[in-house]
Coordinates of all heavy atoms in Angstrom, one line a residue:
L1 N 119.5 85.7 96.2 CA 120.4 84.5 96.1 C 119.8 83.3 96.9 O 120.2 82.2 96.5 CB 121.7 84.9 96.7 CG 122.5 86.0 95.9 CD1 123.8 86.4 96.5 CD2 122.7 85.5 94.4
T2 N 119.0 83.5 97.9 CA 118.4 82.4 98.6 C 117.1 81.9 98.0 O 116.5 80.9 98.4 CB 118.2 82.7 100.1 OG1 117.4 83.9 100.2 CG2 119.5 83.0 100.8
G3 N 116.6 82.6 97.0 CA 115.4 82.2 96.3 C 114.1 82.8 96.9 O 113.0 82.4 96.5
D4 N 114.2 83.7 97.9 CA 113.0 84.3 98.5 C 112.5 85.4 97.7 O 113.1 85.9 96.7 CB 113.4 84.8 99.9 CG 113.6 83.7 100.9 OD1 113.2 82.6 100.6 OD2 114.2 84.0 101.9
E5 N 111.3 85.9 98.1 CA 110.8 87.1 97.5 C 111.6 88.3 98.0 O 112.1 88.3 99.1 CB 109.3 87.3 97.8 CG 109.0 87.5 99.2 CD 107.5 87.6 99.5 OE1 106.7 87.1 98.7 OE2 107.2 88.2 100.6
F6 N 111.6 89.4 97.2 CA 112.3 90.6 97.6 C 111.5 91.8 97.0 O 110.6 91.6 96.2 CB 113.8 90.6 97.2 CG 114.0 90.5 95.8 CD1 114.2 91.7 95.0 CD2 114.1 89.3 95.1 CE1 114.5 91.6 93.7 CE2 114.4 89.2 93.8 CZ 114.6 90.4 93.0
Y7 N 111.9 92.9 97.5 CA 111.1 94.2 97.1 C 112.0 95.1 96.4 O 113.2 95.2 96.6 CB 110.6 94.8 98.4 CG 109.6 94.0 99.1 CD1 109.9 93.1 100.1 CD2 108.2 94.2 98.8 CE1 109.0 92.3 100.7 CE2 107.3 93.4 99.4 CZ 107.6 92.5 100.4 OH 106.7 91.7 101.0
L8 N 111.4 95.9 95.5 CA 112.0 96.9 94.7 C 111.9 98.2 95.5 O 110.9 98.5 96.0 CB 111.4 97.1 93.3 CG 111.8 95.9 92.3 CD1 111.0 96.1 91.1 CD2 113.2 95.9 92.0
P9 N 112.9 99.0 95.5 CA 112.9 100.3 96.2 C 112.1 101.4 95.6 O 111.8 102.4 96.2 CB 114.4 100.7 96.4 CG 115.0 100.1 95.2 CD 114.3 98.8 94.9
I10 N 111.8 101.3 94.3 CA 111.2 102.4 93.6 C 109.7 102.4 93.7 O 109.1 103.5 93.5 CB 111.6 102.4 92.1 CG1 111.2 101.0 91.5 CG2 113.0 102.7 91.9 CD1 111.4 101.0 90.0
L11 N 109.1 101.3 94.0 CA 107.6 101.2 94.2 C 107.2 100.8 95.6 O 107.9 99.9 96.1 CB 107.0 100.3 93.1 CG 107.3 100.6 91.7 CD1 106.8 99.4 90.8 CD2 106.6 101.8 91.3
V12 N 106.1 101.3 96.0 CA 105.6 100.8 97.4 C 105.1 99.4 97.2 O 104.2 99.2 96.4 CB 104.6 101.8 97.9 CG1 104.0 101.4 99.2 CG2 105.2 103.2 98.0
Q13 N 105.5 98.5 98.0 CA 105.1 97.1 98.0 C 105.3 96.5 96.7 O 104.4 95.7 96.2 CB 103.6 97.0 98.5 CG 103.4 97.5 99.9 CD 104.1 96.7 100.9 OE1 104.2 95.5 100.8 NE2 104.6 97.3 102.0
A14 N 106.3 96.8 96.0 CA 106.6 96.1 94.7 C 107.4 94.8 95.0 O 108.6 94.7 95.0 CB 107.5 97.0 93.8
R15 N 106.6 93.8 95.3 CA 107.1 92.5 95.6 C 107.5 91.7 94.4 O 106.7 91.6 93.4 CB 106.1 91.7 96.4 CG 106.6 90.4 96.9 CD 105.5 89.6 97.7 NE 104.5 89.1 96.8 CZ 104.5 87.9 96.3 NH1 105.6 87.1 96.6 NH2 103.6 87.4 95.6
V16 N 108.7 91.2 94.4 CA 109.1 90.3 93.3 C 109.0 88.9 93.8 O 109.4 88.5 94.9 CB 110.6 90.6 92.9 CG1 111.0 89.6 91.8 CG2 110.7 92.0 92.4
K17 N 108.3 88.0 93.0 CA 108.0 86.7 93.5 C 109.2 85.9 93.8 O 110.3 86.1 93.3 CB 107.2 86.0 92.4 CG 105.9 86.6 92.1 CD 105.2 85.8 91.0 CE 103.8 86.4 90.6 NZ 103.2 85.7 89.5
S18 N 109.0 84.9 94.7 CA 110.1 84.0 95.0 C 110.4 83.0 93.9 O 109.6 82.9 93.0 CB 109.8 83.2 96.3 OG 108.7 82.4 96.1
L19 N 111.5 82.3 94.0 CA 111.8 81.4 92.9 C 110.8 80.3 92.8 O 110.5 79.8 91.7 CB 113.2 80.9 93.1 CG 113.9 80.2 92.0 CD1 114.0 81.1 90.8 CD2 115.3 79.8 92.4
A20 N 110.2 79.9 93.9 CA 109.2 78.8 93.8 C 107.9 79.3 93.2 O 107.2 78.4 92.6 CB 109.0 78.3 95.3
E21 N 107.6 80.5 93.3 CA 106.4 81.1 92.7 C 106.5 81.4 91.2 O 105.5 81.6 90.6 CB 106.0 82.4 93.5 CG 105.5 82.1 94.9 CD 105.2 83.5 95.6 OE1 106.0 84.4 95.4 OE2 104.2 83.5 96.2
C22 N 107.7 81.5 90.7 CA 107.9 81.8 89.3 C 107.6 80.6 88.4 O 108.3 79.6 88.5 CB 109.4 82.3 89.1 SG 109.8 83.8 89.8
K23 N 106.5 80.8 87.7 CA 106.0 79.6 86.9 C 106.3 79.8 85.4 O 106.6 78.9 84.7 CB 104.5 79.5 87.0 CG 104.0 79.2 88.4 CD 104.5 77.9 88.9 CE 104.0 77.7 90.3 NZ 104.7 76.7 91.1
N24 N 106.4 81.1 84.9 CA 106.6 81.3 83.5 C 107.9 82.1 83.3 O 108.5 82.5 84.2 CB 105.4 82.0 82.8 CG 105.1 83.3 83.5 OD1 105.9 83.8 84.3 ND2 103.8 83.7 83.3
N25 N 108.3 82.2 82.1 CA 109.5 82.9 81.7 C 109.5 84.4 82.1 O 110.5 85.0 82.4 CB 109.9 82.7 80.3 CG 110.4 81.3 80.0 OD1 110.9 80.7 80.9 ND2 110.3 80.9 78.8
F26 N 108.3 85.0 81.9 CA 108.2 86.4 82.2 C 108.6 86.7 83.7 O 109.3 87.6 84.0 CB 106.8 86.9 81.9 CG 106.6 88.4 82.3 CD1 107.1 89.4 81.6 CD2 106.0 88.7 83.5 CE1 107.0 90.7 81.9 CE2 105.8 90.0 83.9 CZ 106.3 91.0 83.1
D27 N 108.0 85.9 84.6 CA 108.3 86.1 86.0 C 109.8 85.9 86.3 O 110.4 86.6 87.1 CB 107.5 85.1 86.9 CG 106.0 85.5 86.9 OD1 105.7 86.7 86.6 OD2 105.2 84.6 87.2
K28 N 110.4 84.8 85.7 CA 111.8 84.6 85.9 C 112.7 85.7 85.4 O 113.6 86.1 86.0 CB 112.2 83.3 85.3 CG 111.6 82.1 86.0 CD 111.9 80.8 85.2 CE 111.2 79.6 85.9 NZ 111.4 78.4 85.2
N29 N 112.3 86.2 84.2 CA 113.1 87.3 83.6 C 112.9 88.6 84.4 O 113.8 89.4 84.6 CB 112.7 87.6 82.2 CG 113.1 86.5 81.3 OD1 114.1 85.8 81.6 ND2 112.5 86.3 80.1
Y30 N 111.7 88.8 84.9 CA 111.4 90.0 85.8 C 112.2 89.9 87.0 O 112.7 90.9 87.5 CB 109.9 90.1 86.1 CG 109.5 91.3 86.9 CD1 109.6 92.6 86.4 CD2 109.1 91.1 88.2 CE1 109.2 93.7 87.2 CE2 108.7 92.2 89.0 CZ 108.8 93.5 88.5 OH 108.4 94.5 89.2
R31 N 112.3 88.8 87.6 CA 113.1 88.5 88.8 C 114.6 88.9 88.6 O 115.2 89.5 89.4 CB 112.9 87.1 89.3 CG 113.6 86.7 90.5 CD 113.3 85.3 90.9 NE 114.1 84.8 92.0 CZ 114.0 85.1 93.2 NH1 113.0 85.9 93.6 NH2 114.9 84.6 94.1
I32 N 115.1 88.4 87.4 CA 116.5 88.7 87.1 C 116.7 90.2 86.9 O 117.7 90.8 87.3 CB 117.0 87.9 85.9 CG1 117.0 86.4 86.3 CG2 118.3 88.3 85.4 CD1 117.3 85.4 85.2
I33 N 115.8 90.9 86.2 CA 115.9 92.3 85.9 C 115.8 93.1 87.2 O 116.6 94.0 87.4 CB 114.9 92.7 84.9 CG1 115.2 92.2 83.5 CG2 114.8 94.2 84.8 CD1 114.1 92.3 82.5
A34 N 114.9 92.7 88.1 CA 114.8 93.4 89.4 C 116.1 93.2 90.2 O 116.5 94.2 90.9 CB 113.6 92.9 90.1
F35 N 116.6 92.0 90.2 CA 117.9 91.8 90.9 C 119.0 92.7 90.3 O 119.8 93.3 91.1 CB 118.3 90.3 90.9 CG 119.7 90.1 91.3 CD1 120.0 90.2 92.6 CD2 120.7 89.8 90.4 CE1 121.3 90.0 93.0 CE2 122.0 89.6 90.8 CZ 122.3 89.7 92.1
T36 N 119.1 92.7 89.0 CA 120.1 93.5 88.4 C 120.0 95.0 88.7 O 120.9 95.7 89.0 CB 120.0 93.4 86.8 OG1 120.1 92.0 86.5 CG2 121.2 94.1 86.1
F37 N 118.7 95.5 88.8 CA 118.5 96.9 89.2 C 118.9 97.1 90.6 O 119.6 98.1 90.9 CB 117.0 97.2 89.0 CG 116.6 98.6 89.5 CD1 116.9 99.7 88.8 CD2 116.0 98.7 90.8 CE1 116.6 100.9 89.2 CE2 115.7 100.0 91.2 CZ 116.0 101.1 90.5
N38 N 118.6 96.2 91.5 CA 119.0 96.3 92.9 C 120.5 96.3 93.0 O 121.1 97.0 93.8 CB 118.4 95.3 93.8 CG 117.0 95.6 94.2 OD1 116.5 96.7 94.1 ND2 116.3 94.6 94.7
F39 N 121.2 95.4 92.3 CA 122.6 95.3 92.3 C 123.3 96.6 91.8 O 124.3 97.0 92.4 CB 123.1 94.1 91.5 CG 124.5 93.7 91.7 CD1 125.0 93.2 92.8 CD2 125.4 94.0 90.6 CE1 126.3 92.8 93.0 CE2 126.7 93.7 90.8 CZ 127.2 93.1 92.0
V40 N 122.8 97.1 90.7 CA 123.4 98.3 90.2 C 123.2 99.5 91.1 O 124.1 100.3 91.3 CB 122.8 98.6 88.8 CG1 123.2 100.0 88.3 CG2 123.3 97.6 87.8
C41 N 122.0 99.6 91.7 CA 121.8 100.6 92.7 C 122.7 100.5 93.9 O 123.2 101.5 94.5 CB 120.3 100.6 93.2 SG 119.2 101.2 91.9

């Protein structure tokens, strides 16, 4: 929610890029999917 990078719990060091680092649509969609996964968990 603050736009920082965050980590996924299923992979070791699975860093999701911060909002400032997301340049293309794939990174933005991956960020939303990773957030949705964390929220559901």
Side-chain angles (χ1 to χ4, degrees):
L1 294 175
T2 58
D4 288 343
E5 65 182 21
F6 60 96
Y7 293 90
L8 287 173
I10 54 172
L11 300 172
V12 177
Q13 298 296 323
R15 182 181 76 91
V16 178
K17 295 178 183 178
S18 67
L19 196 56
E21 292 176 315
C22 291
K23 301 294 182 201
N24 54 19
N25 285 337
F26 176 77
D27 290 339
K28 292 176 184 176
N29 290 338
Y30 181 70
R31 183 175 165 81
I32 292 171
I33 290 170
F35 167 74
T36 305
F37 176 77
N38 278 346
F39 189 74
V40 168
C41 288

